[in-house]
Amino acid sequence: MGSYLLSIDQGTTSTRAVLFAVDGSVKAISQIEFPQYFPDDGWVEHNPEDILSTSIECCRQVLKKESITASDIVAMGITNQRETTIIWDKKTGKAIYNAIVWQDRRTSQYCQQLKDDGVEAMLNQKTGLLADPYFSATKVKWILDNVDGARERAGKGELLFGTVDSFLLWHLTDGQSHKTDASNASRTMLFNIHRQCWDEELLALFDIPASMLPEVMDSADDFGVANAAVMGAAVPILAMAGDQQAALFGQACFQSGMAKSTYGTGCFLMLNTGTEALVSKNQLLTTVAYRLNGEVTYALEGSIFVAGAAIQWLRDGLKLIEKTDEVESLARDTSLSHGVYMVPAFTGLGAPYWDPDARGAIFGLTRKTGIKEIVTAGLQSVCYQTKDLQKSMEVDGVRPISLRVDGGMAANAWFLQFLSDILGARVDVPKLIETTAQGVAFMAGLRSGVFSSLEHIESIWSLDASYEPVMSKAERDNFYAGWKKAVLRVSSDLK
């Protein structure tokens, strides 16, 4: 048996490959950024060839860094930006249109029509989701309706649909495997999370042929074998999971009531609800956390569209900073009472507002306002949005009292302390914040026998630091009240 596990972590702004030893430690990481395309207001696209080429190149780079070959790898897993939609030719593997990214809002009007038609309750009951452009189904319909000949070709069985995991799997296996896992399927708005199958009524609603869809597997399962021509040797692909579900698994949140929050391009707070598909009263999502040996673990999730992307915009859009690691020192040098609020609704607002037509704004500017205040407001906006999710979970009766965090922003100690203060809850940071990649590595290791059980995996997770709230409740409530006023002012209901 080999000595390594390999994860492809295909994200929204970059692709990474992470090589793990069989004890769960990181041996090598490679990361490559790729372009984003914004062809219209609220539209976000990727070139699928960029997704594929960066994934393969990152894998090759980590093997080279560790001076090993693919034959040293026990198994690999794929974790991916969810909901992002690709349709490709069944014979050539070429996409017929760019990947439509999860952030994309082009189907907002159609989703509003679904709501007006009274369809959303049925969608929510079957899928745990809301009628929102975020999810894959309306993106698939848009491509079939807007690319010449696409609907006819789909009807003839010439086209395949998949989220990014399926697209990568198909290419890594040289077209031999068209599969996804239950966690990714649960984000398409086509999958019945209770029956655990593609739903005929939903396929008819969106006019999507069943022949396009991948086979739905457990999250740790036999997905296929990566072709030797790609990797240098055949490698079993034994795990796939959406990035947020993979992070929940990597954080060892295996017990009902445990929660994690990932701070990447967006922010996603996910609470394990065990075998119960809990129905939210406050517009949170019910989703599949993972499926092992045919048994489903569910989660309640709040999705924030813009987290780290707000800092990226301050760097690349406004050019207020040169490097993202500057933000912590700027925040430390800024008074908390600066009075500035940034609402980064660049592509609408996610949970609990679900307002696709809201747009971003900065409030409270004075002559004293400078770069450090605006940058700090950007960081704080992520904390306030997390507070929104926490408050929503309170309404649903499942408020997490502690939070395990990961993602790029989890390296910012100032951010984590303010997050703890605003939440009024303990924030725990693991020693390894590569939890998304680690999650599918754990799943692949579980399937291959490297790890014997969930308890074995839990013993590997280790705490690096905890942050406890030091802010008074009165101060916390005051800051949050200012945020709620700012959000109200960007609401599309006022426009």
Side-chain angles (χ1 to χ4, degrees):
M1 180 178 281
S3 303
Y4 299 88
L5 296 165
L6 176 64
S7 293
I8 294 175
D9 181 0
Q10 204 299 301
T12 310
T13 57
S14 68
T15 302
R16 301 186 325 148
V18 184
L19 190 67
F20 295 89
V22 291
D23 64 0
S25 62
V26 174
K27 305 304 291 184
I29 300 174
S30 176
Q31 180 170 354
I32 302 174
E33 292 191 0
F34 57 87
Q36 320 292 299
Y37 299 97
F38 309 98
D40 206 341
D41 179 37
W43 293 29
V44 190
E45 297 179 0
H46 294 155
N47 183 339
E49 293 301 316
D50 290 339
I51 290 173
L52 178 61
S53 63
T54 54
S55 297
I56 293 172
E57 181 59 26
C58 283
C59 288
R60 291 172 175 169
Q61 286 182 9
V62 292
L63 297 181
K64 187 175 181 180
K65 285 181 180 181
E66 189 64 7
S67 300
I68 65 168
T69 66
S71 59
D72 294 311
I73 299 171
V74 181
M76 64 185 293
I78 300 171
T79 182
N80 54 287
Q81 52 168 316
R82 305 170 305 170
E83 299 94 16
T84 294
T85 297
I86 307 174
I87 296 178
W88 66 95
D89 185 291
K90 191 174 183 178
K91 290 184 178 179
T92 67
K94 295 294 184 184
I96 66 167
Y97 188 81
N98 272 349
I100 301 183
V101 180
W102 57 272
Q103 298 165 311
D104 189 281
R105 315 305 288 168
R106 75 185 66 189
T107 61
S108 294
Q109 189 173 352
Y110 175 63
C111 288
Q112 185 58 52
Q113 185 63 53
L114 292 174
K115 294 178 183 179
D116 294 343
D117 292 344
V119 173
E120 187 171 50
M122 180 271 287
L123 287 172
N124 182 253
Q125 189 279 322
K126 287 174 177 282
T127 70
L129 310 178
L130 302 170
D132 192 84
Y134 181 25
F135 308 108
S136 309
T138 64
K139 304 178 194 299
V140 176
K141 177 176 169 55
W142 188 93
I143 294 174
L144 294 181
D145 288 344
N146 288 275
V147 174
D148 287 345
R151 187 163 289 287
E152 181 182 359
R153 294 184 65 200
K156 292 179 179 178
E158 296 176 3
L159 301 179
L160 298 177
F161 150 70
T163 42
V164 168
D165 58 312
S166 297
F167 180 75
L168 290 177
L169 178 70
W170 194 93
H171 282 277
L172 290 173
T173 61
D174 197 24
Q176 297 302 302
S177 189
H178 185 219
K179 299 177 180 180
T180 189
D181 89 298
S183 74
N184 275 298
S186 74
R187 311 299 294 190
T188 61
M189 211 153 64
L190 298 170
F191 187 72
N192 190 310
I193 61 172
H194 309 289
R195 294 170 51 218
Q196 289 293 294
C197 63
W198 299 118
D199 192 280
E200 298 87 349
E201 185 178 6
L202 296 177
L203 292 175
L205 173 67
F206 296 108
D207 197 12
I208 296 171
S211 61
M212 298 179 68
L213 304 177
E215 180 183 358
V216 181
M217 312 287 284
D218 287 347
S219 302
D221 214 327
D222 299 324
F223 287 94
V225 177
N227 194 290
V230 175
M231 299 293 297
V235 179
I237 301 172
L238 300 185
M240 297 208 305
D243 52 8
Q244 304 313 316
Q245 286 94 334
L248 185 80
F249 204 89
Q251 287 277 34
C253 293
F254 301 138
Q255 304 301 317
S256 181
M258 297 183 73
K260 70 88 202 176
S261 193
T262 297
Y263 296 95
T265 301
C267 163
F268 304 87
L269 198 162
M270 186 173 281
L271 177 82
N272 185 325
T273 61
T275 57
E276 182 183 6
L278 189 69
V279 178
S280 174
K281 306 177 190 70
N282 210 33
Q283 298 204 99
L284 299 180
L285 308 176
T286 306
T287 196
V288 173
Y290 48 85
R291 196 175 83 188
L292 300 176
N293 300 317
E295 295 184 5
V296 183
T297 295
Y298 293 97
L300 200 62
E301 179 181 332
S303 306
I304 295 168
F305 296 152
V306 175
I311 309 305
Q312 189 180 44
W313 175 72
L314 292 170
R315 181 193 69 187
D316 301 339
L318 294 190
K319 301 189 184 304
L320 299 185
I321 54 174
E322 290 187 4
K323 298 179 181 178
T324 53
D325 57 12
E326 295 174 36
V327 298
E328 182 170 1
S329 60
L330 287 171
R332 290 190 183 282
D333 193 37
T334 306
S335 168
L336 284 181
S337 57
H338 57 76
V340 179
Y341 286 89
M342 177 193 293
V343 184
F346 304 140
T347 56
L349 287 170
Y353 308 104
W354 295 108
D355 185 349
D357 297 318
R359 287 295 177 264
I362 301 175
F363 299 103
L365 300 175
T366 70
R367 286 289 298 271
K368 292 183 179 180
T369 302
I371 289 174
K372 65 182 183 180
E373 287 80 14
I374 294 174
V375 169
T376 301
L379 276 179
Q380 290 173 307
S381 73
V382 182
C383 301
Y384 294 133
Q385 290 178 95
T386 308
K387 180 72 172 180
D388 287 336
L389 302 183
Q390 182 199 47
K391 298 288 279 186
S392 298
M393 288 184 175
E394 280 182 0
V395 172
D396 291 328
V398 289
R399 180 184 189 271
I401 58 172
S402 67
L403 194 62
R404 291 183 174 181
V405 299
D406 53 75
M409 295 181 76
N412 184 325
W414 186 94
F415 165 77
L416 295 174
Q417 183 58 58
F418 189 78
L419 178 66
S420 175
D421 284 335
I422 284 299
L423 295 179
R426 189 179 79 246
V427 172
D428 292 335
V429 187
K431 284 187 177 178
L432 178 66
I433 62 174
E434 304 293 341
T435 53
T436 302
Q438 191 175 41
V440 285
F442 280 159
M443 289 175 180
L446 196 62
R447 183 68 180 178
S448 63
V450 168
F451 305 120
S452 59
S453 63
L454 294 183
E455 290 75 21
H456 184 181
I457 293 171
E458 197 169 15
S459 71
I460 296 172
W461 189 91
S462 57
L463 178 70
D464 182 56
S466 282
Y467 294 81
E468 296 280 357
V470 295
M471 184 182 289
S472 70
K473 184 179 185 303
E475 192 176 10
R476 176 187 311 130
D477 291 347
N478 184 55
F479 281 127
Y480 187 58
W483 163 257
K484 295 297 285 185
K485 289 179 183 177
V487 170
L488 184 62
R489 293 168 72 181
V490 304
S491 171
S492 61
D493 290 341
L494 300 181
K495 296 173 184 176

PDB file of all heavy atoms in Angstrom, residues 446-458:
ATOM      1  N   LEU A 446     -10.908   6.523   4.617  1.00  0.00           N
ATOM      2  CA  LEU A 446     -11.914   5.656   5.226  1.00  0.00           C
ATOM      3  C   LEU A 446     -12.308   4.546   4.257  1.00  0.00           C
ATOM      4  O   LEU A 446     -12.417   3.371   4.643  1.00  0.00           O
ATOM      5  CB  LEU A 446     -13.130   6.502   5.607  1.00  0.00           C
ATOM      6  CG  LEU A 446     -14.155   5.912   6.570  1.00  0.00           C
ATOM      7  CD1 LEU A 446     -13.530   5.622   7.945  1.00  0.00           C
ATOM      8  CD2 LEU A 446     -15.332   6.876   6.728  1.00  0.00           C
ATOM      9  N   ARG A 447     -12.511   4.915   2.994  1.00  0.00           N
ATOM     10  CA  ARG A 447     -12.918   3.930   1.987  1.00  0.00           C
ATOM     11  C   ARG A 447     -11.810   2.922   1.710  1.00  0.00           C
ATOM     12  O   ARG A 447     -12.070   1.733   1.478  1.00  0.00           O
ATOM     13  CB  ARG A 447     -13.306   4.649   0.697  1.00  0.00           C
ATOM     14  CG  ARG A 447     -13.812   3.733  -0.409  1.00  0.00           C
ATOM     15  CD  ARG A 447     -15.153   3.124  -0.062  1.00  0.00           C
ATOM     16  NE  ARG A 447     -15.647   2.251  -1.122  1.00  0.00           N
ATOM     17  CZ  ARG A 447     -16.773   1.574  -1.051  1.00  0.00           C
ATOM     18  NH1 ARG A 447     -17.550   1.681   0.024  1.00  0.00           N
ATOM     19  NH2 ARG A 447     -17.163   0.804  -2.046  1.00  0.00           N
ATOM     20  N   SER A 448     -10.559   3.384   1.735  1.00  0.00           N
ATOM     21  CA  SER A 448      -9.424   2.511   1.394  1.00  0.00           C
ATOM     22  C   SER A 448      -8.923   1.699   2.569  1.00  0.00           C
ATOM     23  O   SER A 448      -8.074   0.813   2.393  1.00  0.00           O
ATOM     24  CB  SER A 448      -8.277   3.348   0.827  1.00  0.00           C
ATOM     25  OG  SER A 448      -7.795   4.260   1.812  1.00  0.00           O
ATOM     26  N   GLY A 449      -9.406   2.006   3.783  1.00  0.00           N
ATOM     27  CA  GLY A 449      -8.959   1.265   4.955  1.00  0.00           C
ATOM     28  C   GLY A 449      -7.802   1.900   5.693  1.00  0.00           C
ATOM     29  O   GLY A 449      -7.323   1.355   6.696  1.00  0.00           O
ATOM     30  N   VAL A 450      -7.337   3.066   5.231  1.00  0.00           N
ATOM     31  CA  VAL A 450      -6.279   3.784   5.957  1.00  0.00           C
ATOM     32  C   VAL A 450      -6.780   4.184   7.344  1.00  0.00           C
ATOM     33  O   VAL A 450      -6.053   4.094   8.334  1.00  0.00           O
ATOM     34  CB  VAL A 450      -5.823   5.022   5.155  1.00  0.00           C
ATOM     35  CG1 VAL A 450      -4.942   5.928   6.019  1.00  0.00           C
ATOM     36  CG2 VAL A 450      -5.070   4.594   3.909  1.00  0.00           C
ATOM     37  N   PHE A 451      -8.041   4.637   7.399  1.00  0.00           N
ATOM     38  CA  PHE A 451      -8.675   4.975   8.677  1.00  0.00           C
ATOM     39  C   PHE A 451      -9.754   3.942   8.969  1.00  0.00           C
ATOM     40  O   PHE A 451     -10.534   3.572   8.084  1.00  0.00           O
ATOM     41  CB  PHE A 451      -9.269   6.385   8.631  1.00  0.00           C
ATOM     42  CG  PHE A 451      -8.278   7.442   8.234  1.00  0.00           C
ATOM     43  CD1 PHE A 451      -8.492   8.214   7.105  1.00  0.00           C
ATOM     44  CD2 PHE A 451      -7.122   7.643   8.979  1.00  0.00           C
ATOM     45  CE1 PHE A 451      -7.568   9.185   6.729  1.00  0.00           C
ATOM     46  CE2 PHE A 451      -6.194   8.607   8.606  1.00  0.00           C
ATOM     47  CZ  PHE A 451      -6.413   9.378   7.482  1.00  0.00           C
ATOM     48  N   SER A 452      -9.809   3.504  10.200  1.00  0.00           N
ATOM     49  CA  SER A 452     -10.710   2.404  10.551  1.00  0.00           C
ATOM     50  C   SER A 452     -12.129   2.850  10.852  1.00  0.00           C
ATOM     51  O   SER A 452     -13.068   2.053  10.719  1.00  0.00           O
ATOM     52  CB  SER A 452     -10.144   1.653  11.762  1.00  0.00           C
ATOM     53  OG  SER A 452      -9.998   2.545  12.874  1.00  0.00           O
ATOM     54  N   SER A 453     -12.311   4.125  11.253  1.00  0.00           N
ATOM     55  CA  SER A 453     -13.625   4.571  11.710  1.00  0.00           C
ATOM     56  C   SER A 453     -13.652   6.090  11.815  1.00  0.00           C
ATOM     57  O   SER A 453     -12.606   6.758  11.734  1.00  0.00           O
ATOM     58  CB  SER A 453     -13.938   3.975  13.085  1.00  0.00           C
ATOM     59  OG  SER A 453     -12.997   4.454  14.039  1.00  0.00           O
ATOM     60  N   LEU A 454     -14.842   6.643  12.062  1.00  0.00           N
ATOM     61  CA  LEU A 454     -14.960   8.073  12.320  1.00  0.00           C
ATOM     62  C   LEU A 454     -14.228   8.444  13.608  1.00  0.00           C
ATOM     63  O   LEU A 454     -13.661   9.539  13.714  1.00  0.00           O
ATOM     64  CB  LEU A 454     -16.431   8.488  12.413  1.00  0.00           C
ATOM     65  CG  LEU A 454     -17.267   8.364  11.125  1.00  0.00           C
ATOM     66  CD1 LEU A 454     -18.686   8.873  11.363  1.00  0.00           C
ATOM     67  CD2 LEU A 454     -16.631   9.123   9.969  1.00  0.00           C
ATOM     68  N   GLU A 455     -14.240   7.548  14.581  1.00  0.00           N
ATOM     69  CA  GLU A 455     -13.524   7.798  15.843  1.00  0.00           C
ATOM     70  C   GLU A 455     -12.026   7.905  15.604  1.00  0.00           C
ATOM     71  O   GLU A 455     -11.339   8.724  16.232  1.00  0.00           O
ATOM     72  CB  GLU A 455     -13.830   6.682  16.844  1.00  0.00           C
ATOM     73  CG  GLU A 455     -15.254   6.672  17.380  1.00  0.00           C
ATOM     74  CD  GLU A 455     -16.274   6.156  16.373  1.00  0.00           C
ATOM     75  OE1 GLU A 455     -15.874   5.437  15.419  1.00  0.00           O
ATOM     76  OE2 GLU A 455     -17.467   6.471  16.537  1.00  0.00           O
ATOM     77  N   HIS A 456     -11.522   7.103  14.695  1.00  0.00           N
ATOM     78  CA  HIS A 456     -10.100   7.172  14.315  1.00  0.00           C
ATOM     79  C   HIS A 456      -9.789   8.548  13.726  1.00  0.00           C
ATOM     80  O   HIS A 456      -8.795   9.192  14.101  1.00  0.00           O
ATOM     81  CB  HIS A 456      -9.792   6.062  13.309  1.00  0.00           C
ATOM     82  CG  HIS A 456      -8.348   5.971  12.922  1.00  0.00           C
ATOM     83  ND1 HIS A 456      -7.876   5.062  12.011  1.00  0.00           N
ATOM     84  CD2 HIS A 456      -7.256   6.695  13.311  1.00  0.00           C
ATOM     85  CE1 HIS A 456      -6.571   5.219  11.859  1.00  0.00           C
ATOM     86  NE2 HIS A 456      -6.174   6.208  12.628  1.00  0.00           N
ATOM     87  N   ILE A 457     -10.658   9.010  12.839  1.00  0.00           N
ATOM     88  CA  ILE A 457     -10.457  10.329  12.227  1.00  0.00           C
ATOM     89  C   ILE A 457     -10.562  11.433  13.284  1.00  0.00           C
ATOM     90  O   ILE A 457      -9.766  12.377  13.294  1.00  0.00           O
ATOM     91  CB  ILE A 457     -11.489  10.551  11.104  1.00  0.00           C
ATOM     92  CG1 ILE A 457     -11.211   9.587   9.942  1.00  0.00           C
ATOM     93  CG2 ILE A 457     -11.476  11.999  10.619  1.00  0.00           C
ATOM     94  CD1 ILE A 457     -12.290   9.566   8.876  1.00  0.00           C
ATOM     95  N   GLU A 458     -11.538  11.297  14.181  1.00  0.00           N
ATOM     96  CA  GLU A 458     -11.740  12.298  15.235  1.00  0.00           C
ATOM     97  C   GLU A 458     -10.491  12.443  16.098  1.00  0.00           C
ATOM     98  O   GLU A 458     -10.161  13.547  16.560  1.00  0.00           O
ATOM     99  CB  GLU A 458     -12.931  11.890  16.092  1.00  0.00           C
ATOM    100  CG  GLU A 458     -13.495  12.997  16.953  1.00  0.00           C
ATOM    101  CD  GLU A 458     -14.824  12.616  17.579  1.00  0.00           C
ATOM    102  OE1 GLU A 458     -15.151  11.418  17.579  1.00  0.00           O
ATOM    103  OE2 GLU A 458     -15.527  13.515  18.053  1.00  0.00           O
TER     104      GLU A 458
END
